[in-house]
Structures are given as structure tokens and as C-alpha cells.
């Protein structure tokens, strides 16, 4: 007779199978979110305009003097006048057309835009040409001041570069397409012969190749050839220490501030590592040089043949693992194959996937690759609100955390899912086709669909419709799990159940892991494409744990109570309470000053000053300093009891004990009575221990606990979420 055993499912799932993850080195996630600097304008197809541009910069007085000899392709001067854009603070001194002087345009005829806009259109009437094929050369001389000091972009951590439309000053020079520091024809590609003159202790860097350099009379003059047509010319200058080195015909360089110049070998070495991997994967590097340039304001900018990284990022060295690789990948995507911004932005998501994620997977760091997928899924879920989110196709550029979650993280995961759908061979064939077909032109999502469809040999329209055109992600639930035993079968245990998803359903290939008694794991993939999908599994031993996509290969919609506790849950909660100590020693106050300063400017935080905190409200809490320590020491907080023990001078987390005055802790626990909220504690055993962490606290938002010694992470990991729709522990018989 058949012996049937029913294994009832447990109520809520109490275990989340994320192991303790320790990072080999100090690694800040998302410290730098890159912006590929391309002109956010619609694609143009006209032949390039050639500029012979000479500029003189005087940082002390914010002054620029320029002369530009512009060869206009025929169609640019089809009418009787031409117009271009120039910074409103620049005065035109002289205009010539084919050697003939023309009246200088009257400034009042072109209205000066309201700051901070630097877009001012200048129109010049042209005399008729003798014959239509005659070359058309416009020469302009101009001068003025460009002084727009970068302003902090705000927020608890860096999301986008500080705001500036271009700056010339003693602290640095940054001139970009938004500056209109030379006569600019929008929607048009240009090439340049550029001469830059600066004080002799300054160094300039721009696109293209440096041809010559002279120093005379206290001025340094460099000549550059920018022969690859570009949408926009960016120039940076500062009192850099320059280091150069050749690698396989590519000139590698660093332009670093004197105090960071010792980091040059690290950056060159890291650049070589990335170039090696990405030239193998993507094909020849598109430019003749690559330079790492330190910026005087926070930024992560990927420009043709160089990258501008803020000093904070540079100082952390290449142990900040993603920024440099990300900018290097932009050499192909964004700076060679252009993005048609009017029709969306696929470039950031693909660059994020190949750099911030795929580098680890390809180099065998599976633990870090897993962590990145997990953080991408968590970021999407924390920073998008279901009824406010928009589809990937509607992302253009990043202003907010939600833009980042959709345009970078969700899009990167969409490429990951596409790769799993197509298989590696076809996917990377498609990636190389994007470069092959797209270099020098503009591609949009529909072009990518065609390219991947061709590479896969089958239509992928449904995939793009689901992940690029439709907002959201599958919201799954496990139901009706039943296990029956039949000793006459080879696989004695039959497990049945249903995967539910909210409508309209997504089609996904859902990885399923079943842990079996005796330590084995049964792994399989369900194709799920309907609101209620029944399944049957035949198993050789009793299943003890059932999990959907435990390795985070899919983007799934998770509710707040299904996410592990972490500081970012506090940051994203509709109700946030900050508890600060009522009384502090001078030293404690100094140790936490940078954190308080950061928090003070943030809207929507309820602040309580008390030495005896209680967790009473349905809200997320952040407790800082002695307030945090006291509440944990009191034993009255029950949110983390099973993982955490605190004794005078030491903290035990899971099975490890950390003691000593140089230790600081950032620990997040579920709210004891409301699982969608979190309670985060930040404290240390001395003011010196918290000080170095205090400034960067919000870069550590993705872990349930972090232990710092002298500011360096020595342990980190996750606590389980209170609820999970994706996992269940099956009771033992
Ligand atoms: Zn980027």
C-alpha cells in the first residue's frame, strides 16, 4: 500500500538563505554612479564641422579668450544666416567669413537666458557665396568669464555630479557641452584642432591625442587633435601631476593632484586589467588614449578617452572597484556607439551590467557577483514605488534614486535576464554586433531588439515588451505545497504546489532550489507564465527548504517586509525617526559631526534627542552613538535577539565576537512589531572608531550588519527578512 506522508507548510518563513558574506577589501557600492557625458540631444546625421580652436585660460580671473576658425559643411550655410550656441557671458569681438569682416552680432539681439542656463543662441547674417561649392570658413574671436562653482547636489550620498555648467577658477577648470565655451552647433558632430594655453603649472586634458607641448613665458601650450567626430568637447585642467605609459599601442595616463600622485601606478595597473578584459570581450579599444583624471568636485564622468573621477573616489583608490571599469566600458557604449537620448537610454544599464556586475562574474568572483545581483534587486525594490515607477524605455537620465534604480539597476538586470534567455554565445554575439553596427551612430532600444533578435535567431519582442516597455516586476508567491512519499518509486518524494503571480503575468524562467534531507540540493527551472502555475517535482529525499530564485538571477517585486533589514530601509521609509543622544561628550560630538551635518539638511526626518530611547512608533528608526548602544545594552530591544549580543566593550554578531576601542558597528534589525520598518544602530566603542565611518555612513546601506575597525570594514552580512514569499521551510516529518 502506498504510504503517503503530508508535510504541512510552515507559517512564515524564518530563514533566508543568504550566507554571511565577507568582503576581501573595502568596497563601496554605489559610491559613484556614473553619468556618460553625451549630448542629450537627438541624433543628427550631418557631416562633422571642423574647428581650429585656440583658447587661453586664466584660472585666477575665471577668464577665457578664444578664437575659432570653423569650416562649415555646405548644408550648414544653406540659408542667408547661421546660428550657433555660445555661453552668455562670452562677448564676440570679431567675426569674419571667408576672410571678410562682418558686423559683430549685437548682444541685445540675442536675449540672455536666465541663469543657470548657458544656452544663448547667436545668429549671424552671411554674405552670399560666389558659387555653392566654395569653402565656407567662419572665424570668431571672443572672450569672457566662466564662473559657475560646482554646487553640492545634496542627498545622503552621491547620486549625480555636483551641479555646474562649467567653471574656470583657481580650484580647477571644467568645460563641457553644457558650457558652450566654443561656438556649438547642437545635434551635430564636430572634429577639432585645439590649442590650449594655461599658466605653466597647470595641465589640461581633453579628448583626442596630444600632439605637442611647449612652455614659454610662464604659459604652457598644448596642441590636440580630435579626429573622431564627437558630439561635445570636454576639457579639464588643474595643477596635475601627469603620469604616462604605453600599453599595446594605447597611451595610458593619470592626471592626479599632487597629494594623490602616488596612486598613479595603481590606476594604470587597474586600467590595464580592465582594458585587457574588455578588449577581449568587446573588441579593439576605440581610442588612442585613456586617462584617469582627478576632478575638483564629486563626479563620475565617462568621456571619450578619459574619465573624470571626483577626488573622494580617487583617494579611495581602485579598491573602489566599479567606477573605473564602468568608465572604460563607456568607451564603447556611449562614447563610440552613441545613445539616442530622445528615445531612451540603454547605455547606462548595459554599461552597469558589463562593468559593475559582469567583471566579477567573468573573473571568478562569484560571491561578489551574487552580492551585486542581490543589491540590484534590493535597490529596485526599495527605490521604486509600484504605482509611480515607469518602464525602462522611459528612462533618459538620472535625477533621483528611482531613476537610478530603473535606468541603471533594473536595466542591468534586464540584460542579465536577456543573457540567460539567449545563452552566453548569442548574447555576446549581440553585444559585439551593437559595437560593429553602432560605432559612430546612434542606437536606441528598437535597434537593440533587432540586433539581439538576429543574434538569437528568434524574435525577442516579447522579452523587450515585458522588461523594457512594461513597468514593474513579477510578484510571486508559493501556495499549496504538498509532499507525498511513494517508496515504490526511485524518487520517493513528490512535491506539488502552485506559483502564484499578480496579473497580468510575466513570463520568466524561474530558478527553484529545494534542499533535501541529507544535505543535497535539487535545482531546476520552472517556466512560469500564468497567474497560477502548478508544478510537480520528484525528489530522492525529503525536501526541507524550498526557495524561488535564491541566487537573484531574476528581478522580482519584493515587499518591504520581504527585504532584509538594512540602513536603506530606514532611508526609504515614509516615516523616519532619528534618535540622537541628549547629552554627548565633546569627543563623541566631534566623532559624529559629519553624520549629523549630513542628516540635518535632509527633509522628512523626525528627530528625537534622548538618552533613554524606546521603539514605540510604527516607523523606521536610526539610533546614533550612545543612544544606540544604551538601547541595545538595556536588553529591551527584541528585533535582533537571535543574532546579536552586546556586553560592555564587545558585540557578538551571529557567531563572531568583536571587541576593542577601535570598533564601530552599523547594525539593522527588523522592527519588533512592524516588519516593514527597520531599526538601525550606529555606534562605536570610542569617538575615534565612529569618526571615519560617520562621513560615509550612507554608502553602507545594503548590509544588515557591518563591523568597522579604524574605519575599515572587517565583517558584514545579512539578517533574514521577517517574511518571504519566495521561500519556505518545510517541517520535518
Ligand atoms: Zn555610466
Amino acid at each position: 500500500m502506498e504510504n503517503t506522508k503530508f508535510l504541512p507548510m510552515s507559517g512564515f518563513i524564518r530563514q533566508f538563505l543568504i550566507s554571511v558574506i565577507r568582503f576581501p577589501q573595502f568596497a563601496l557600492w554605489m559610491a559613484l554612479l556614473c553619468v556618460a557625458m553625451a549630448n542629450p540631444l537627438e541624433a543628427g546625421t550631418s557631416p562633422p564641422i571642423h574647428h581650429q580652436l585656440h583658447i587661453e585660460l586664466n584660472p585666477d580671473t575665471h577668464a577665457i579668450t578664444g578664437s575659432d576658425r570653423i569650416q562649415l559643411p555646405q548644408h550648414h550655410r544653406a540659408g542667408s544666416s547661421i546660428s550657433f550656441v555660445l555661453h552668455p557671458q562670452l562677448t564676440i569681438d570679431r567675426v569674419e567669413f571667408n576672410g571678410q569682416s562682418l558686423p559683430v552680432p549685437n548682444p541685445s539681439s540675442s536675449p540672455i537666458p536666465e541663469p543657470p542656463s548657458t544656452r544663448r543662441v547667436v545668429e549671424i547674417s552671411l554674405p552670399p557665396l560666389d558659387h555653392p561649392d566654395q569653402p565656407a570658413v567662419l572665424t570668431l574671436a571672443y572672450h569672457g568669464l566662466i564662473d559657475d562653482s560646482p554646487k553640492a547636489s545634496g542627498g545622503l550620498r552621491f547620486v549625480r555630479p555636483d551641479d555646474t555648467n562649467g567653471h574656470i577658477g583657481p580650484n580647477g577648470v571644467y568645460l563641457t557641452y553644457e558650457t558652450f565655451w566654443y561656438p556649438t552647433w547642437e545635434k551635430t558632430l564636430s572634429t577639432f584642432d585645439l590649442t590650449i594655453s594655461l599658466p605653466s603649472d597647470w595641465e589640461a586634458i581633453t579628448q583626442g591625442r596630444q600632439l605637442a607641448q611647449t612652455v614659454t613665458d610662464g604659459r604652457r601650450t598644448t596642441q590636440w587633435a580630435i579626429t573622431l567626430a564627437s558630439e561635445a568637447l570636454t576639457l579639464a585642467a588643474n595643477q596635475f601631476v601627469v603620469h604616462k605609459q604605453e600599453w599595446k599601442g594605447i597611451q595610458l595616463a593619470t592626471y592626479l593632484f599632487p597629494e594623490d600622485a602616488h596612486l598613479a601606478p595603481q590606476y594604470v595597473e587597474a586600467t590595464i586589467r580592465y582594458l585587457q578584459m574588455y578588449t577581449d570581450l568587446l573588441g579593439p579599444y576605440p581610442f588612442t588614449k585613456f586617462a584617469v583624471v582627478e576632478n575638483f568636485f564629486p563626479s563620475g564622468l565617462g568621456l571619450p578617452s578619459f574619465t573624470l573621477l571626483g577626488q573622494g573616489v580617487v583617494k579611495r583608490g581602485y579598491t573602489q572597484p566599479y567606477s573605473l571599469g564602468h568608465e572604460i566600458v563607456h568607451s564603447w557604449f556611449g562614447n563610440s556607439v552613441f545613445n539616442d537620448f530622445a528615445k531612451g537610454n540603454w547605455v547606462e544599464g548595459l554599461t552597469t551590467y558589463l562593468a559593475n556586475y559582469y567583471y566579477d562574474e567573468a573573473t571568478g568572483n562569484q560571491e561578489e557577483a551574487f552580492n551585486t545581483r542581490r543589491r540590484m534587486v534590493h535597490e529596485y525594490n526599495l527605490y521604486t514605488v509600484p504605482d509611480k515607477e515607469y518602464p525602462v524605455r522611459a528612462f533618459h537620465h538620472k535625477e533621483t534614486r528611482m531613476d537610478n534604480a530603473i535606468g541603471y539597476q533594473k536595466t542591468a538586470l534586464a540584460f542579465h535576464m536577456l543573457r540567460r534567455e539567449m545563452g552566453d554565445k548569442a548574447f555576446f554575439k549581440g553585444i559585439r554586433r551593437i559595437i560593429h553596427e553602432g560605432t559612430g551612430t546612434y542606437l536606441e532600444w528598437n535597434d537593440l531588439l533587432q540586433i539581439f533578435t538576429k543574434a538569437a535567431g528568434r524574435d525577442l519582442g516579447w522579452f523587450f515588451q515585458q522588461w523594457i516597455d512594461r513597468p514593474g516586476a513579477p510578484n510571486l508567491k508559493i501556495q499549496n505545497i504538498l509532499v507525498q512519499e511513494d517508496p515504490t518509486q526511485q524518487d520517493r518524494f513528490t512535491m506539488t504546489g502552485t506559483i502564484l503571480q499578480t496579473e497580468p503575468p510575466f513570463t520568466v524562467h524561474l530558478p527553484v532550489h529545494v534542499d533535501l534531507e541529507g544535505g543535497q540540493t535539487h535545482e531546476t527551472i520552472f517556466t512560469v507564465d500564468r497567474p497560477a502555475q502548478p508544478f510537480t517535482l520528484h525528489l530522492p529525499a525529503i525536501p526541507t527548504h524550498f526557495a524561488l530564485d535564491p541566487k537573484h538571477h531574476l528581478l522580482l517585486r519584493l515587499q518591504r517586509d520581504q527585504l532584509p533589514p538594512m540602513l536603506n530601509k530606514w532611508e526609504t521609509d515614509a516615516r523616519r525617526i532619528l534618535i540622537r543622544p541628549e547629552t554627548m561628550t565633546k569627543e563623541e560630538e566631534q566623532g559624529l559631526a559629519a553624520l549629523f551635518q549630513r542628516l540635518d539638511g535632509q527633509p522628512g526626518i523626525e528627530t528625537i534627542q534622548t538618552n533613554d530611547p524606546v521603539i514605540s512608533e510604527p516607523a523606521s528608526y536610526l539610533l546614533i552613538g550612545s543612544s544606540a548602544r544604551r538601547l541595545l545594552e538595556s536588553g529591551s530591544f527584541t528585533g535582533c535577539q537571535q543574532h546579536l549580543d552586546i556586553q560592555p566593550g564587545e558585540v557578538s554578531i551571529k557567531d563572531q565576537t568583536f571587541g576593542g576601542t577601535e570598533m564601530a558597528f552599523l547594525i539593522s534589525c527588523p522592527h519588533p512589531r512592524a516588519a516593514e520598518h527597520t531599526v538601525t544602530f550606529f555606534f562605536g566603542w570610542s569617538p575615534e572608531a565612529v569618526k571615519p565611518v560617520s562621513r560615509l555612513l550612507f554608502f553602507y546601506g545594503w548590509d544588515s550588519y557591518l563591523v568597522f575597525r579604524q574605519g575599515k570594514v572587517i565583517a558584514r552580512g545579512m539578517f533574514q527578512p521577517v517574511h518571504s514569499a519566495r521561500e519556505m521551510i518545510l517541517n520535518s516529518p
Side-chain angles (χ1 to χ4, degrees), residues 34-36 326 330 348:
C34 151
V35 182
H326 185 105
H330 271 313
E348 287 305 345

Side-chain angles (χ1 to χ4, degrees), residues 66-101:
S67 72
D68 195 3
R69 188 173 182 278
I70 305 151
Q71 289 164 35
L72 294 168
Q74 203 173 12
H75 92 275
H76 279 284
R77 52 127 322 156
S80 59
S81 69
I82 52 164
S83 59
F84 53 83
V85 186
L86 196 66
H87 192 289
Q89 297 305 317
L90 297 179
T91 304
I92 297 176
D93 302 312
R94 183 166 55 85
V95 183
E96 279 176 22
F97 183 69
N98 284 349
Q100 177 192 342
S101 282

Side-chain angles (χ1 to χ4, degrees), residues 33-37 300-302 326-327 330 333 347-349 351-352 356 398 408:
L33 297 165
C34 151
V35 182
M37 287 292 287
L301 300 171
H326 185 105
E327 307 312 342
H330 271 313
F333 305 108
V347 157
E348 287 305 345
T351 303
T352 300
N356 304 48
K398 166 178 64 188
Y408 287 64

Side-chain angles (χ1 to χ4, degrees), residues 568-623:
N568 285 336
K569 271 181 96 170
W570 178 82
E571 202 212 327
T572 51
D573 204 319
R575 195 165 166 211
R576 294 182 284 169
I577 297 175
L578 171 67
I579 297 190
R580 303 169 52 149
E582 195 174 2
T583 50
M584 280 186 283
T585 64
K586 208 175 160 68
E587 289 73 29
E588 186 181 8
E589 211 172 324
Q590 278 169 358
L592 293 166
L595 176 59
F596 287 139
Q597 200 187 352
R598 204 155 269 252
L599 286 163
D600 280 347
Q602 297 302 312
I605 298 176
E606 299 167 42
T607 304
I608 299 171
Q609 284 189 288
T610 174
N611 289 337
D612 298 299
V614 283
I615 305 302
S616 52
E617 299 295 314
S620 282
Y621 284 80
L622 172 59
L623 296 97

